[in-house]
Amino acid sequence: MAAGAGGAEGLEAAPGLEAAPGLEAAPGLEAAPGLEAAPGRCRTPLPACWGLLRRLLRGLLLAALAVGSCRGNSVERKIYIPLNKTAPCVRLLNATHQIGCQSSISGDTGVIHVVEKEEDLSWVLADGPHPPYMILLNGDLFNRKVMVQLKGTSRVSGLAVAVAKPSPPQGFSPGLKCPNDGFGVYSKDYGPQFAHCNQTVWNPLGSGLSYEDFDFPIFLLEDANETQVIKQCYQDHNVPRDGSGPEYPLCAMQLFSHMHAVTNTVTCMRRSSLQSTFSINPEVVCDPLLDYNVWSTLQPINSSGKVEPEKEVIIVATRIDSHSFFWNIAPGAESAVSSFVTNLAAAEALHKASDIHLLQRNIMFTFFQGETFDYIGSSRMVYDMEKDKFPLRLDNIHSFVELNQVALRNDSVLWMHTDPVSRMNESVEVQVRNLLHILRTSSMGAKVTLQEAEFSQPLPPSSFQRFLRARHIPGVVLADHSTAFHNRYYQSMYDTPENIGMQYPEGLSPEETLEYVTDTAKSLAEVATVVARALYQLAGGANSTSVIQADPKTVSRMLYGFLIKMNNSWFQSIIKPDLKGILGDVPQHYVAVSSPVNTTYLVQYVLANLTGTVVNLTKEECLNPEKTPTSEQELYEYAWVQGSLDPNSTSRVPYCVRSTVHLSKALSPAFELRQWGSTEYSTWTESRWKEIRARIFLVASKELEIITLVVGIAILIFSLLATYFINAKADILFSIPRDPGTVAY
């Protein structure tokens, strides 16, 4: 029988195995008598078997790759433990400097060492045999003295900071001793004796850490459980034994926070500008810090027109942003929230007065963004007023009242700060005296005592200073301190609700906590009442001010929402349906580069809720007020908000709110003018980055890594050589025998 694809008689081809096309048995070749194919062997000619084998190997390889790609993440999870609740220190830049932190482009790695007391630093700085080290630093040791030591060595590759609980009793402020120095009103030409905090150091605890430049990554560990995981890994693998170094494998950490911008704002903005001009896909390396100011008037004005020159307006201002060493960690309880919540409560109290439409002077409630970074918001509003890009001009401003830090009062005393330089002008002095008198009389009978700071005392860091740079305006800044800040955690992650004494009974539900009136809320409501009554008199109100009263319950709700949990039932009910995503759990008040930020939106809608009017409009009419003849859209803003939950269902009852709340740009004029090296306006930018992440894993010794690498390279070379020689001799190794006779397999 001829040998062919079918094999010996009675043997069937294995299912799916066919002879290669064109392969036939050579004529005259017969199977040797008695020679049968061995069971289980390939019954096709050898070249066909070889082709089949290659197809099988290729299939197995593809299957292996498919399985590997599906299981790759699983393998990574077995090697690495990601740290998901972290906050990085990022790079910020101004006209002259870069500050903050960054990692190398591929991330920085080091062996973990836990530092819980200063003596532990010696292992990292000198004794440890496995540098570079990633330090897990106790929050109490995160201070300038320790950071200067770590900054000056190459044995440190990064830092993870655990939050100190309770907050450091000695205080902690990474800000400057003289905040916003050089961008306020005092200079060599205006009150030089007050410039650079020569007379009063406002933030004596300021270490300036936030304004240092570190060439290694620094992360904050927000989750105590993740901190414990790192410590356990350290205990299991890295603890020195009997004074000698631990044995491999060691627990290591890797931090990724590479920043794209370098040097200063001038450099990074120039590079971004060139990219935008000449590149189809520009790679921007930094962005200006920007957002929006929120403002509202007691009596409506045409927001797109101009207020008549003879109309006088009283400005009541506060800031709404804060900052800390770590990106987007800015609780700002005392430095920002206490003041803007008080301003909101005062606005509500005044709007409840029945005769506000009869007042001789209008009142504008203003909430500035970006004030932490050299007065971004206030300097922009002044610039717009000077350039006729705002409804008000500087000449319309009758007086200026600013709420600064107001929650940490000693003996309920609130200090009135004024500018001694402008008060040398007789007319300004008369108006300031009148303003101080009205404030004092408004506090009679209240649980707040107002006292005037010394005449020779300059203004504390405040938005009012930017207006004084442009024009002598009578004004006062209200604060809980007469000289240095009472706030021991200024511009710090520890400026939390606890810092201003917010306490709740245990066992309250979130809804009960929202409605619970704290002592702090009562105290701030008293301040808001005094301010509202003073503003009413200053605006020419003739009726009794006793009916003007701020609501402690409203203040409680605001403090809870802006300091503890944004995603609460009240905030949900007063915002637009498409803004639900802004309600995160933990509130932060960093100005950032994407706008508006959560805080701006919420201040806008809280102010609209407290001062606006519910109008009987349909959704279509509310969203398109220009289609309604009586809407007066040049005077009012309209918002279709979610409303509260219907008690009998899970749906909400939306409604339309009409208010005089508006937004205006809070972008430094330096970027409008392309003066990136300006010393007149803020020039702060934030670097862009590709990824921010942190993880821990076990690392082998260098020797084992080198051995593994060498063995791997050797196996690769041997495999290449074997493949080459097998391929070169394939015609011999896999050729069909030519001697006569039948061959069966």
Side-chain angles (χ1 to χ4, degrees):
M1 176 189 144
E9 184 180 358
L11 292 178
E12 301 297 332
L17 292 181
E18 302 292 338
L23 281 181
E24 302 293 338
L29 289 182
E30 302 292 337
L35 190 61
E36 302 294 336
R41 293 194 179 184
C42 181
R43 301 173 189 146
T44 59
L46 194 55
C49 284
W50 177 243
L52 174 64
L53 183 60
R54 283 186 294 181
R55 287 198 298 273
L56 288 173
L57 288 173
R58 187 161 56 246
L60 288 171
L61 179 60
L62 291 173
L65 289 173
V67 172
S69 64
C70 292
R71 297 178 61 85
N73 290 335
S74 176
V75 172
E76 182 176 355
R77 284 196 297 270
K78 291 179 180 178
I79 298 174
Y80 300 104
I81 298 177
L83 303 174
N84 299 316
K85 293 284 289 181
T86 61
C89 160
V90 302
R91 175 169 289 168
L92 300 174
L93 310 98
N94 65 8
T96 56
H97 292 81
Q98 65 179 29
I99 63 172
C101 322
Q102 78 155 353
S103 73
S104 62
I105 195 167
S106 57
D108 289 329
T109 304
V111 174
I112 295 172
H113 190 76
V114 176
V115 175
E116 296 181 326
K117 52 186 183 297
E118 282 198 46
E119 291 75 16
D120 296 335
L121 287 172
S122 61
W123 183 266
V124 173
L125 300 175
D127 302 335
H130 304 118
Y133 285 96
M134 278 283 178
I135 299 175
L136 174 55
L137 188 68
N138 189 302
D140 291 317
L141 294 177
F142 186 54
N143 54 51
R144 186 172 188 86
K145 178 183 176 183
V146 170
M147 293 304 295
V148 166
Q149 295 181 67
L150 300 181
K151 188 178 180 180
T153 178
S154 60
R155 291 174 59 88
V156 174
S157 60
L159 194 64
V161 180
V163 179
K165 292 186 178 180
S167 302
Q170 71 276 14
F172 173 72
S173 173
L176 298 171
K177 293 183 183 297
C178 189
N180 291 354
D181 185 24
F183 289 86
V185 68
Y186 303 113
S187 65
K188 63 180 182 179
D189 301 318
Y190 188 101
Q193 68 273 27
F194 305 128
H196 312 299
C197 298
N198 284 337
Q199 182 162 320
T200 305
V201 177
W202 295 106
N203 186 31
L205 292 177
S207 65
L209 271 182
S210 289
Y211 296 85
E212 291 285 338
D213 184 38
F214 296 92
D215 59 359
F216 53 78
I218 304 176
F219 278 54
L220 176 69
L221 300 174
E222 299 181 75
D223 188 347
N225 292 328
E226 288 188 345
T227 303
Q228 190 56 44
V229 168
I230 299 171
K231 288 184 176 180
Q232 189 60 53
C233 188
Y234 167 79
Q235 292 289 338
D236 293 342
H237 299 279
N238 294 13
V239 174
R241 311 292 180 188
D242 302 323
S244 61
E247 296 181 357
Y248 285 96
L250 298 174
C251 191
M253 182 184 294
Q254 190 171 30
L255 302 178
F256 297 85
S257 62
H258 181 67
M259 301 287 125
H260 294 174
V262 295
T263 310
N264 53 43
T265 289
V266 177
T267 302
C268 81
M269 289 299 294
R270 183 178 65 244
R271 290 176 179 175
S272 296
S273 178
L274 288 172
Q275 285 275 340
S276 300
T277 304
F278 297 108
S279 176
I280 298 175
N281 298 308
E283 184 177 336
V284 177
V285 296
C286 68
D287 300 284
L289 295 181
L290 70 127
D291 203 80
Y292 287 88
N293 298 321
V294 182
W295 61 276
S296 171
T297 52
L298 195 63
Q299 301 165 352
I301 62 173
N302 188 341
S303 60
S304 58
K306 290 287 178 289
V307 173
E308 295 83 354
E310 67 276 8
K311 293 287 185 181
E312 293 183 321
V313 179
I314 303 162
I315 292 182
V316 195
T318 186
R319 67 175 58 188
I320 58 177
D321 69 298
S322 187
H323 179 46
S324 81
F325 186 87
F326 298 99
W327 183 74
N328 207 29
I329 300 295
E334 161 73 339
S335 61
V337 177
S338 67
S339 57
F340 75 69
V341 161
T342 304
N343 201 4
L344 288 166
E348 180 193 34
L350 260 180
H351 271 79
K352 289 179 179 178
S354 58
D355 60 338
I356 56 174
H357 60 287
L358 300 175
L359 295 178
Q360 301 170 17
R361 302 182 182 96
N362 205 347
I363 299 173
M364 185 171 85
F365 297 92
T366 312
F367 302 81
F368 292 120
Q369 261 287 16
E371 296 300 274
T372 303
F373 295 96
D374 299 338
Y375 306 118
I376 293 174
S378 55
S379 63
R380 179 53 188 260
M381 184 171 283
V382 171
Y383 174 82
D384 286 344
M385 287 180 177
E386 291 176 325
K387 302 298 181 183
D388 283 340
K389 296 180 179 180
F390 195 79
L392 268 67
R393 301 177 181 87
L394 289 169
D395 291 341
N396 292 118
I397 301 175
H398 170 268
S399 52
F400 198 104
V401 178
E402 180 169 353
L403 290 163
N404 212 309
Q405 304 177 82
V406 294
L408 297 176
R409 303 192 303 280
N410 289 336
D411 301 323
S412 298
V413 175
L414 200 61
W415 294 91
M416 300 181 291
H417 296 264
T418 57
D419 172 41
V421 179
S422 61
R423 288 180 67 177
M424 294 178 184
N425 180 293
E426 186 176 346
S427 64
V428 172
E429 169 66 11
V430 170
Q431 293 180 75
V432 170
R433 280 288 164 200
N434 180 55
L435 176 56
L436 296 176
H437 172 71
I438 290 175
L439 282 166
R440 282 197 197 94
T441 57
S442 299
S443 67
M444 292 179 180
K447 296 178 182 178
V448 179
T449 303
L450 271 79
Q451 293 187 18
E452 184 180 354
E454 290 186 16
F455 181 83
S456 60
Q457 176 84 18
L459 285 170
S462 52
S463 305
F464 180 39
Q465 292 198 32
R466 291 300 304 193
F467 285 80
L468 282 175
R469 284 178 70 135
R471 183 175 177 269
H472 282 176
I473 298 171
V476 62
V477 176
L478 302 178
D480 55 22
H481 54 89
S482 61
T483 53
F485 296 161
H486 289 168
N487 186 4
R488 294 173 298 157
Y489 306 109
Y490 183 74
Q491 291 187 5
S492 161
M493 58 187 169
Y494 300 113
D495 191 5
T496 59
E498 293 76 18
N499 184 36
I500 59 173
M502 286 179 62
Q503 296 179 340
Y504 295 92
E506 293 184 4
L508 294 183
S509 67
E511 200 64 27
E512 291 170 336
T513 309
L514 172 67
E515 302 294 338
Y516 182 81
V517 180
T518 62
D519 291 339
T520 302
K522 294 175 184 177
S523 174
L524 293 179
E526 288 284 343
V527 176
T529 297
V530 170
V531 171
R533 290 175 178 177
L535 292 172
Y536 177 80
Q537 293 184 58
L538 198 61
N543 294 336
S544 170
T545 60
S546 60
V547 296
I548 299 175
Q549 185 75 44
D551 186 1
K553 186 174 181 180
T554 301
V555 176
S556 284
R557 286 178 163 189
M558 289 190 288
L559 288 174
Y560 179 81
F562 285 113
L563 286 175
I564 296 176
K565 189 177 183 181
M566 279 187 170
N567 194 13
N568 61 72
S569 60
W570 185 47
F571 278 5
Q572 290 168 7
S573 68
I574 64 175
I575 62 171
K576 291 181 177 180
D578 58 346
L579 294 178
K580 290 184 291 185
I582 70 171
L583 297 178
D585 281 335
V586 181
Q588 304 296 346
H589 307 295
Y590 173 61
V591 59
V593 295
S594 58
S595 58
V597 295
N598 301 7
T599 305
T600 303
Y601 271 129
L602 289 171
V603 168
Q604 176 189 6
Y605 284 99
V606 168
L607 184 58
N609 177 267
L610 298 180
T611 64
T613 306
V614 177
V615 290
N616 187 24
L617 295 178
T618 65
K619 180 179 180 180
E620 179 66 23
E621 291 170 335
C622 190
L623 295 177
N624 301 282
E626 68 277 2
K627 296 180 180 179
T628 305
T630 59
S631 67
E632 297 180 293
Q633 60 168 339
E634 69 278 359
L635 301 179
Y636 297 101
E637 294 287 333
Y638 291 81
W640 185 259
V641 300
Q642 291 193 118
S644 302
L645 284 171
D646 190 324
N648 301 318
S649 71
T650 56
S651 60
R652 294 184 176 276
V653 184
Y655 55 91
C656 186
V657 175
R658 185 185 72 183
S659 71
T660 61
V661 180
H662 306 278
L663 299 180
S664 65
K665 273 188 180 180
L667 170 67
S668 171
F671 298 101
E672 292 277 323
L673 302 170
R674 295 177 68 87
Q675 296 175 0
W676 303 320
S678 173
T679 56
E680 169 73 11
Y681 299 112
S682 170
T683 55
W684 284 105
T685 55
E686 181 185 272
S687 174
R688 289 196 178 186
W689 58 81
K690 184 177 181 181
E691 62 175 344
I692 298 288
R693 60 191 175 101
R695 60 189 184 182
I696 63 172
F697 56 95
L698 294 182
V699 63
S701 66
K702 292 293 183 185
E703 292 79 6
L704 181 57
E705 289 179 347
I706 292 172
I707 292 171
T708 304
L709 177 63
V710 170
V711 171
I713 293 173
I715 292 173
L716 174 63
I717 294 172
F718 176 78
S719 301
L720 292 173
L721 290 173
T723 302
Y724 172 77
F725 283 113
I726 290 173
N727 188 58
K729 303 297 181 181
D731 56 337
I732 298 173
L733 295 173
F734 306 113
S735 63
I736 301 173
R738 297 187 179 277
D739 53 307
T742 301
V743 180
Y745 294 90

